[in-house]
Amino acid sequence: MKMQSFTMHHHLAFLLLFSAPLVAFVMSTPENFQQCLSLHSENTTAISKLVYTPINSSYSSVLDITIQNLRFLTPSAPKPLLIVTPLHVSHVQAAITCSRRYGLQMRIRSGGHDYEGLSYLSKVPFVIMDMVNLRSIAVDVEDETAWVQSGATVGELYYRIAEKSKTLGFPAGVCPTVGVGGHFSGGGYGTMLRKYGLAVDNVIDAQLVNAQGRLLDRESMGEDLFWAIRGGGGGSFGVVVSWKVKLVPVPSTVTVFTLLRTLEQHATKLVHQWQLIGNELPNDLFMRVILQSSNSGPNGTRTMEASFNTLYLGGVDALLEVTRSSFPELNVTRQDCTEMSWIESILYFAGFSGEPLEVLLNRSSNTKLYFKHKSDYVKEPIPKSGLEGMWERFFEEDVGVAQMIWNHYGGRMSEISESALPFPHRAGVLYKIQHLTSWTDGGDEVASKHVSWIRSFYSYMAPYVSKSPREAYINYRDLDIGTNNVKGDTGYKQASAWGKKYFKNNFDRLVRVKTAVDRGNFFRHEQSIPPFSF
Ligand SMILES: Cc1cc2nc3c(=O)[nH]c(=O)nc-3n(C[C@H](O)[C@H](O)[C@H](O)COP(=O)(O)OP(=O)(O)OC[C@H]3O[C@@H](n4cnc5c(N)ncnc54)[C@H](O)[C@@H]3O)c2cc1C
Ligand SMILES: *[C@@H]1O[C@H](CO)[C@@H](O)[C@H](O)[C@H]1NC(C)=O
Ligand SMILES: *[C@@H]1O[C@H](CO)[C@@H](O)[C@H](O)[C@H]1NC(C)=O
Ligand SMILES: *[C@@H]1O[C@H](CO)[C@@H](O)[C@H](O)[C@H]1NC(C)=O
Ligand SMILES: *[C@@H]1O[C@H](CO)[C@@H](O)[C@H](O)[C@H]1NC(C)=O
Ligand SMILES: *[C@@H]1O[C@H](CO)[C@@H](O)[C@H](O)[C@H]1NC(C)=O
């Protein structure tokens, strides 16, 4: 509490250096901000419906609704002075102009899935630009493209595509409630990455509002900025309002299976083998492994469960041929497999069974948890002894909510050069690991126990994963790997510690683009790309 009022006081004193009216503004923000918006918006019809402040009864529900990580859904988490929910592009432009004018930091939120809550938390007075109402999707079947606004979820995108075509799809994330805005900004992958690469490998145009409040498209923003926003991480270059994507062909029948093997059913050998064959599998096959501990060993003892969670872009006969020749040890049978449409496979991977397709339109359909996740890239197969050490550590996590999700790269991912887009994890990656721990009780002690467990697990993994830099996936945001100093100094050196992990050498180009388009560092957060300081 003391800390907080000090920060606030400090901030006001800082503002005072620039202008006294500013201080008055902070004290009477809502009215002035709303007036400022009216002054700068082309469409003023609905201005009063756009701005929520703590006095509005729906402020909390609007704030909380898309927060995914329950760790940040607490009364003591920092709250925004205002939430702006634009209905028109000119509202986005006006909100940027007005936030700048009054020295308020802006956090941009689309789906709210950021692992560290950076789209809705800040330590200084801030505004949330919530894209939730900018969510239209226009699918052009003939052209095989779609324009999708950032506030849409990937589930809505899949639904709108499937509504118009049974043989077109899009290669984005597995969880339907993920927002397009943040997801595409960080790359975005799902069950078709081996065939078609990342979501951003299939983005062909975008509309962005920059720090000056100007609306740009691919042509007017130029290729450098267009490169940067396709994977350089959200919240650094501007507000992306919409994206034009190239849809991809999908067969009318796909096949899925999930096979669970415990240690007693040779999980260690199978997981070891999975590492060796994965990159050579046909691009039509996606087979991730989900690892967790359970009490399903003999007589209820602890064991590991490895789930081989698979999508094949084709029918069951072709799939069985592939698994028999490439991975006979898994013993996949016809009874294990189910044929379905591509859109049904989206529901299958999201954990639904029997629900209508409309569940993809439900923004709050997934279960919210308290969580801390991390990521790694593996370039050499991990020996069996290394795997056995992991299982030991999983048995220590006594609440049983630790998981790893491993997914192969190879295929299309290896064909795209490391510098084609900011996302650098391409050829040479065998697979990515997501480390997860989640829990359902909000106490600090519980949280710190799980967080320490996952940090120590991450240390254990160091010898087995990529080194110098130890690579990480920006969409699995992890502030443990380093942060900017949000109080002002966002120097290159400090930022490159985390930046090289997410972007390798592309980080330097991102810094150059940032310097060219937002030298004043208006769009900033704990892991935003810093401009060179002069
Ligand atoms: C349950 C769950 C499942 C997931 N599954 C996958 C998966 O299968 N594949 C995968 O690749 N990732 C997955 N992710 C990670 C997900 O891709 C990232 O968390 C992504 O950044 C979320 O986007 P969002 O719009 O929902 O998040 P937000 O929290 O709204 O935004 C994330 C970041 O992007 C910025 N941002 C948001 N909108 C914009 C915009 N319009 N313009 C500029 N910057 C913006 C924010 O400021 C923030 O920094 C998953 C996450 C969760 C919680
Ligand atoms: C202005 O916004 C209102 C309310 O959203 C809408 O009905 C109207 O069509 C818009 N006008 C223009 C010119 O865009
Ligand atoms: C919030 O409250 C103000 C003041 O009562 C009102 O003018 C505004 O319309 C409310 N905002 C919303 C989104 O309803
Ligand atoms: C399970 O427990 C029973 C009864 O205690 C015992 O007879 C049996 O040997 C145990 N099985 C294993 C695999 O440990
Ligand atoms: C696969 O099936 C064969 C024959 O039924 C069996 O001997 C073998 O142990 C199985 N392999 C695994 C890994 O379960
Ligand atoms: C959306 O999902 C939630 C959680 O499963 C559920 O409670 C709610 O009824 C669903 N809403 C709709 C409109 O289906």
Side-chain angles (χ1 to χ4, degrees):
M1 206 53 227
K2 232 190 179 130
M3 191 63 189
Q4 212 160 2
S5 68
F6 170 78
T7 312
M8 188 65 181
H9 186 81
H10 185 77
H11 184 76
L12 290 179
F14 178 74
L15 291 178
L16 204 54
L17 290 175
F18 294 93
S19 97
L22 217 62
V23 176
F25 171 81
V26 171
M27 299 319 207
S28 62
T29 297
E31 301 76 29
N32 289 351
F33 200 90
Q34 201 160 304
Q35 276 167 18
C36 179
L37 280 182
S38 299
L39 209 60
H40 290 91
S41 298
E42 271 165 35
N43 188 328
T44 55
T45 326
I47 291 288
S48 69
K49 294 280 167 289
L50 305 185
V51 183
Y52 298 83
T53 72
I55 63 157
N56 292 98
S57 55
S58 42
Y59 168 89
S60 294
S61 60
V62 171
L63 176 62
D64 295 351
I65 187 125
T66 62
I67 292 180
Q68 284 300 309
N69 193 339
L70 294 179
R71 286 169 69 200
F72 308 121
L73 188 58
T74 61
S76 62
K79 307 291 175 197
L81 291 176
L82 305 125
I83 306 168
V84 184
T85 57
L87 294 165
H88 302 277
V89 173
S90 77
H91 298 153
V92 176
Q93 297 174 283
I96 290 172
T97 303
C98 298
S99 300
R100 272 174 83 96
R101 162 144 330 157
Y102 295 111
L104 297 172
Q105 193 174 86
M106 174 179 285
R107 293 293 166 120
I108 312 159
R109 183 165 77 171
S110 291
H113 283 51
D114 192 284
Y115 283 2
E116 300 277 14
L118 300 191
S119 54
Y120 52 84
L121 296 173
S122 176
K123 294 187 182 109
V124 300
F126 70 110
V127 175
I128 294 179
M129 169 87 84
D130 194 326
M131 304 297 282
V132 65
N133 292 325
L134 289 174
R135 57 198 286 192
S136 74
I137 297 170
V139 176
D140 184 336
V141 173
E142 217 143 278
D143 197 32
E144 303 189 351
T145 58
W147 272 103
V148 51
Q149 288 188 314
S150 281
T153 62
V154 298
E156 289 172 317
L157 175 59
Y158 301 148
Y159 182 89
R160 295 300 166 205
I161 296 169
E163 204 176 36
K164 291 204 164 169
S165 165
K166 302 283 169 261
T167 52
L168 289 173
F170 191 69
V174 176
C175 171
T177 57
V178 164
V180 161
H183 186 61
F184 289 11
S185 294
Y189 83 93
T191 56
M192 294 200 291
L193 99 160
R194 303 191 68 254
K195 177 95 171 181
Y196 297 116
L198 304 172
V200 283
D201 295 331
N202 300 280
V203 166
I204 52 180
D205 202 344
Q207 288 194 309
L208 166 129
V209 180
N210 71 8
Q212 287 71 46
R214 282 188 54 211
L215 177 65
L216 305 171
D217 65 4
R218 177 174 186 168
E219 198 184 340
S220 55
M221 79 177 77
E223 286 302 301
D224 266 346
L225 181 52
F226 185 58
W227 174 86
I229 60 172
R230 283 174 297 161
S236 286
F237 301 100
V239 178
V240 182
V241 177
S242 60
W243 312 77
K244 186 180 187 183
V245 298
K246 181 92 196 90
L247 304 178
V248 302
V250 295
S252 52
T253 301
V254 305
T255 308
V256 299
F257 70 76
T258 302
L259 275 181
L260 192 151
R261 298 286 188 252
T262 62
L263 293 182
E264 294 69 29
Q265 296 164 320
H266 315 289
T268 308
K269 183 177 150 228
L270 290 170
V271 170
H272 186 258
Q273 182 71 7
W274 175 94
Q275 302 180 95
L276 307 179
I277 54 146
N279 272 17
E280 305 309 320
L281 291 170
N283 296 0
D284 287 326
L285 187 67
F286 173 86
M287 185 192 284
R288 62 177 184 175
V289 189
I290 302 169
L291 290 151
Q292 61 187 28
S293 61
S294 81
N295 294 327
S296 59
N299 285 352
T301 54
R302 293 286 260 179
T303 189
M304 288 298 293
E305 293 177 349
S307 291
F308 295 85
N309 188 211
T310 306
L311 172 70
Y312 182 69
L313 296 169
V316 63
D317 294 329
L319 170 59
L320 287 173
E321 261 174 53
V322 173
T323 53
R324 274 176 202 144
S325 65
S326 321
F327 201 5
E329 301 86 346
L330 191 57
N331 286 348
V332 183
T333 67
R334 187 172 292 269
Q335 291 69 46
D336 299 321
C337 301
T338 312
E339 289 188 333
M340 53 180 62
S341 63
W342 172 76
I343 193 71
E344 286 165 345
S345 79
I346 296 288
L347 263 65
Y348 177 83
F349 271 84
F352 297 113
S353 59
E355 284 85 348
L357 294 183
E358 282 65 33
V359 73
L360 296 174
L361 305 176
N362 185 346
R363 297 178 80 97
S364 50
S365 58
N366 69 332
T367 316
K368 293 183 180 185
L369 296 163
Y370 299 82
F371 67 82
K372 172 70 192 169
H373 302 339
K374 301 170 85 69
S375 60
D376 263 317
Y377 284 91
V378 179
K379 302 192 166 183
E380 301 285 339
I382 301 176
K384 283 192 182 139
S385 58
L387 300 178
E388 278 154 4
M390 289 180 206
W391 312 159
E392 288 306 313
R393 280 161 182 83
F394 265 67
F395 297 153
E396 285 164 16
E397 174 63 330
D398 58 4
V399 188
V401 284
Q403 276 190 337
M404 281 187 285
I405 302 177
W406 295 12
N407 72 277
H408 285 136
Y409 273 38
R412 181 79 189 122
M413 291 301 283
S414 313
E415 292 165 10
I416 298 172
S417 94
E418 262 186 40
S419 57
L421 290 181
F423 182 99
H425 322 288
R426 303 281 190 172
V429 172
L430 285 183
Y431 59 97
K432 185 194 67 200
I433 299 182
Q434 180 174 200
H435 308 285
L436 310 92
T437 174
S438 54
W439 57 98
T440 51
D441 166 335
D444 286 348
E445 249 173 68
V446 177
S448 71
K449 198 177 86 180
H450 291 287
V451 173
S452 343
W453 177 82
I454 201 166
R455 285 180 182 152
S456 108
F457 189 80
Y458 188 75
S459 308
Y460 168 77
M461 292 298 290
Y464 303 115
V465 299
S466 61
K467 297 171 189 68
S468 313
R470 183 169 182 179
E471 297 171 33
Y473 176 35
I474 179 133
N475 264 348
Y476 294 158
R477 172 113 46 215
D478 179 6
L479 295 184
D480 291 354
I481 68 171
T483 63
N484 298 330
N485 176 352
V486 284
K487 293 224 180 68
D489 168 34
T490 51
Y492 170 86
K493 199 160 175 245
Q494 187 168 345
S496 66
W498 58 263
K500 300 267 173 172
K501 294 180 157 101
Y502 289 145
F503 306 114
K504 297 173 78 175
N505 289 332
N506 296 332
F507 180 69
D508 291 347
R509 182 171 174 197
L510 288 168
V511 171
R512 285 199 297 278
V513 175
K514 172 75 176 183
T515 310
V517 305
D518 184 20
R519 192 169 166 159
N521 207 16
F522 173 70
F523 293 107
R524 67 158 67 175
H525 54 69
E526 287 79 354
Q527 281 184 344
S528 58
I529 305 294
F532 284 122
S533 31
F534 294 93

